[in-house]
Amino acid sequence: MARGKGTTLYPWHVAFLLIMLSLAMYLFFSLWPIAYSIYIAFTDANNFNIASEPRIRELMSQRAMVSSYLQANKENILKQVYQVDTYLDEASSYLRELRKIILQSTPQNFSIARISELRNNVDSRLTYVTSIISSNTTYLYYFPGIGGEMTRVITIVDEGIWGDIDRTLGFKLVVTQEDLAQLRNTTIPKIDKALDSIQKIQLSLKQVESNYQSLISSVTRGLDEEIDRISMHFVGLNNFEQLFSDSRFPYSIFKTLLFVLTSVPIKVAVGVSLAYIFSSPLIYGRRVMRAALLVPWALPVLLSVTTWRMFMAPNMGPLALYLNSIGIDLNIYNREWDAFLAYNIVEMWLAYPFIMTVTMAAISSIPKELLESALVDGASAWERFKQIMLPLTARPILFASILTAGASLQAFMVPLLLNNGGPTKELQFLWFSRTTSAVNEMMVLFGYNRAYLDQQYGLSAAAYLVVVFILLLYAIAWYFLIYKRTAPGGV
């Protein structure tokens, strides 16, 4: 049944909703990655903070819980602080008594029993103090001058004071003057150190009593530091300054531009030559041969480059072995320019089918009447090529050259798979500082290595922004200097 006049497939509000939803999804999936990448370039993003939001929320929750607990239990915690202070006073008085006995006693009135009693009293007080300080109900261990000093006191008392007394007196029933002299020389300084540490602990406890908020800040400081460590921070232009702080990235830009200047003419020359040769009717079976020449275009890049790597591998690849047999030593792993030459060869292998296809399409569009008229007029093959074929195919060839130059500016897979941009050596480029670097590390490969090897995502994103800026300059130069000049009616 025919749809009546004025009927529509969707009501206008449904169509409007679908359009807006599609536009929103397009903008999100197109603009959000770009905006986020630009944002990352101005941060210190790394493997610790690039996706740390869940952990940050967890730590912030823990911080809130600890702060809430300390605030709610302030009275109880301060009561235990007073108890710790009291027991430390008692331990100090017992240590002073021990000091007095060691200094003033003689072999005749020295009491080992009293020493043992003092030892039990000191140990019991310090044990109780330690249980309170290290308890998760007070968090006093985290306060500066309490936890560390308490550990120091326990070490001095157990290993120092009591250790010296045990070694000197042992199981003796009679103490000599020499034993007392040895105790005075070894034990008294340690008692003084223990008393000094106890005094520092008591001073810190008084700070807790007078400023309870300082305890909360001390307890949560570790969580704050961890949150700060795994949080991304805006660093401004620091990443860009780091990119140009040594020769590594500037040299990668230089090598990329040099690669464009060398690889594009080779690719264009090979592709155009093959197109002209196999467009000639004099070549028997040219259609089959043209199809065979397009095989590199159809093969996966990974397979092609890996095959070339094995083909040119030093001391084992067929090409390397053949060149060695005629006195040419090819080493793509240890020699910078050998590797650079290999990049150009492999890049030519991968790209010439595109140039050849574009050129053959341009040749097929040339009217046969022009070529036949030139042949009748006695023009040679070179004259027909120079006067007719080349001018009529120049614009498509130029367009293909521009596209393949843009691809060469983004060279990545070839240097990565052949030798990861190597070899690595010490590098000094222009006025930039000396560094050690992979000397054939192209711009895109540089950014990849910073992200996946060094896990410096902010630095990698900054490098890619520089790459995008260079590509933008290339596109602008292509449009104004080439496209507008070669367009019909151009300058």
Side-chain angles (χ1 to χ4, degrees), residues 17-34:
L17 180 62
L18 292 175
I19 292 172
M20 294 304 298
L21 181 61
S22 301
L23 181 62
M25 293 181 62
Y26 171 77
L27 292 176
F28 177 80
F29 289 108
S30 299
L31 300 181
W32 164 246
I34 298 174

Side-chain angles (χ1 to χ4, degrees), residues 259-326:
F259 181 67
V260 172
L261 292 176
T262 56
S263 65
V264 172
I266 296 174
K267 291 184 286 187
V268 172
V270 173
V272 171
S273 299
L274 291 175
Y276 279 118
I277 290 173
F278 290 100
S279 294
S280 173
L282 300 177
I283 303 296
Y284 180 74
R286 64 182 184 276
R287 293 182 179 177
V288 175
M289 298 178 72
R290 283 188 304 202
L293 288 171
L294 295 178
V295 168
W297 205 1
L299 291 176
V301 176
L302 178 62
L303 175 62
S304 295
V305 180
T306 304
T307 302
W308 275 101
R309 176 178 177 174
M310 297 173 61
F311 190 61
M312 293 185 288
N315 302 322
M316 58 183 298
L319 178 60
L321 292 176
Y322 171 75
L323 293 176
N324 285 337
S325 67
I326 60 176

Side-chain angles (χ1 to χ4, degrees), residues 12 30 177-178 238 306 337 350 389 391 409 432 449 476 484:
W12 70 267
S30 299
Q177 190 66 41
E178 288 78 10
N238 287 359
T306 304
W337 297 108
L350 295 173
M389 298 179 69
L409 277 171
F432 299 96
N449 286 336
I476 293 173
K484 293 193 70 174

Side-chain angles (χ1 to χ4, degrees), residues 9 31 35 67 100 107 117 163 174 250 256 262 298-299 321 323 333 353 363 400 417 419 429 459 464:
L9 183 61
L31 300 181
S67 298
K100 183 178 179 180
E117 184 180 352
V174 179
T256 303
T262 56
L299 291 176
L321 292 176
L323 293 176
Y333 298 144
I363 292 174
L417 297 176
N419 62 353
F429 180 66
L459 188 65
Y464 283 137

